Amino acid sequence: MWNRTGFIVFLLLVLCACQKTGQEPMSRFATFTVDAVKDDATKALSLDGNTLNAYWKSTENVLVYNTAGELIGTLNVAPEAGERPSSATLSGTLDVSGLSVGDNLSLRLPRAARDYSGQKGVLTGSGSIEELYDYASSSVSIASIGENSVQPTSGAHFTNEQSIYRFGFYADATPLGVKLFAVGAASGRIVKKIEDGTSEYGTLKIIPDSPATELIYTSIRNESVAPESSGDTYYFTVVGSDGSTYLATKAIPGSVLDRHGRFISAKTIPATKVTLSQYTTETAVVF
């Protein structure tokens, strides 16, 4: 007959065997630090005349994903010295339990979702492009995994996933106040959102918090962008501050659709007021 000590030893052996055969490996955490730079017009934004400058802010966070697309950590941002630094050091703690040397890590800004809907037409501030819609990403490879730290093979170079547009509309040579507007493309490849790597195309609707009398900024991912692009045409339906509806078009040259990350300004787009019958047809299509 077993004594009490023998029974406890047996029970521990059974529990250990169950853990080895039936449970996922326990999470293990280590620090990760990487130097980072941004392309122009990536994340935090500052407009200087007709140039859109990008810089790092200490309030930003960078999401890190493994090769399976799982979120394994968040990095804090320590910008270099200067008023608008283009480089920074990113650091944080990662779950390294499933990582191997040579794996690629995906670093993403500013949030997990890739959704271009809900824009307010503003560059900075609450609900702005800078805060929610200036998507950028970088990929870095793992050089080593130590007991307490993970080392990358190189720094992180963030690239833009869209371009930033500045629109202004005129009716009868007068600036048009805008309650809202919708923009679509002849190519049909303006992205509304990306889910599981698949793009959903359609029309973007921009609704300012109050009728805009100044220029309106819009983050647009056009997947007809290519080095050999011949250009595209954008179609606008605008509801003015007077409640009337206007239609407009704008040809976008291939010279600015060669890559993402452009700042494209079209400040004087002529718009034509439509009749009631035209308004009914257009709203059925766009909205």
Side-chain angles (χ1 to χ4, degrees):
M1 180 176 290
W2 286 4
N3 58 29
R4 183 177 180 183
T5 301
F7 176 76
I8 292 174
V9 171
F10 173 75
L11 183 60
L12 289 174
L13 290 173
V14 171
L15 289 174
C16 288
C18 291
Q19 288 177 341
K20 289 180 180 179
T21 59
Q23 294 186 357
E24 295 294 326
M26 294 181 64
S27 296
R28 184 168 74 86
F29 295 91
T31 59
F32 177 76
T33 301
V34 63
D35 294 329
V37 295
K38 295 181 176 184
D39 276 350
D40 292 340
T42 302
K43 198 54 187 74
L45 304 172
S46 172
L47 189 62
D48 181 13
N50 290 317
T51 302
L52 194 58
N53 300 307
Y55 64 100
W56 289 99
K57 296 170 69 175
S58 60
T59 53
E60 299 178 83
N61 290 304
V62 178
L63 305 177
V64 183
Y65 296 82
N66 61 19
T67 54
E70 300 165 332
L71 179 65
I72 60 171
T74 302
L75 306 180
N76 296 318
V77 176
E80 287 196 351
E83 185 178 358
R84 295 186 177 92
S86 60
S87 58
T89 299
L90 314 180
S91 61
T93 302
L94 303 184
D95 180 354
V96 300
S97 54
L99 300 182
S100 301
V101 171
D103 282 355
N104 287 322
L105 300 178
S106 177
L107 281 56
R108 305 177 70 179
L109 287 164
R111 53 182 177 146
R114 264 33 186 173
D115 190 339
Y116 292 89
S117 62
Q119 295 188 55
K120 298 182 177 182
V122 292
L123 192 62
T124 61
S126 177
S128 66
I129 291 174
E130 175 188 273
E131 181 182 64
L132 296 175
Y133 303 101
D134 191 22
Y135 301 114
S137 58
S138 177
S139 178
V140 296
S141 181
I142 297 175
S144 65
I145 302 175
E147 184 67 26
N148 299 308
S149 64
V150 180
Q151 300 298 324
T153 58
S154 64
H157 186 153
F158 283 82
T159 58
N160 304 280
E161 299 177 17
Q162 64 286 306
S163 290
I164 308 301
Y165 290 74
R166 178 171 62 182
F167 295 127
F169 301 95
Y170 275 69
D172 297 325
T174 301
L176 185 61
V178 177
K179 283 186 176 180
L180 65 87
F181 77 91
V183 54
S187 66
R189 293 179 63 83
I190 286 181
V191 174
K192 294 179 68 176
K193 63 180 177 179
I194 303 174
E195 288 188 332
D196 299 324
T198 301
S199 297
E200 177 185 322
Y201 303 113
T203 299
L204 293 180
K205 184 162 64 174
I206 314 302
I207 307 178
D209 284 336
S210 58
T213 56
E214 299 180 354
L215 300 172
I216 300 173
Y217 295 86
T218 309
S219 176
I220 298 178
R221 178 177 174 85
N222 185 337
E223 291 190 351
S224 67
V225 162
E228 67 280 5
S229 174
S230 59
D232 205 345
T233 300
Y234 289 174
Y235 298 96
F236 302 91
T237 300
V238 181
V239 177
S241 55
D242 60 355
S244 298
T245 300
Y246 299 80
L247 301 179
T249 62
K250 180 65 178 179
I252 309 298
S255 59
V256 296
L257 290 179
D258 59 335
R259 61 176 176 84
H260 297 302
R262 294 287 194 180
F263 175 52
I264 302 166
S265 182
K267 298 190 292 183
T268 56
I269 302 173
T272 302
K273 190 174 182 178
V274 299
T275 64
L276 181 61
S277 60
Q278 289 174 316
Y279 172 80
T280 304
T281 301
E282 288 298 326
T283 51
V285 173
V286 175
F287 299 107

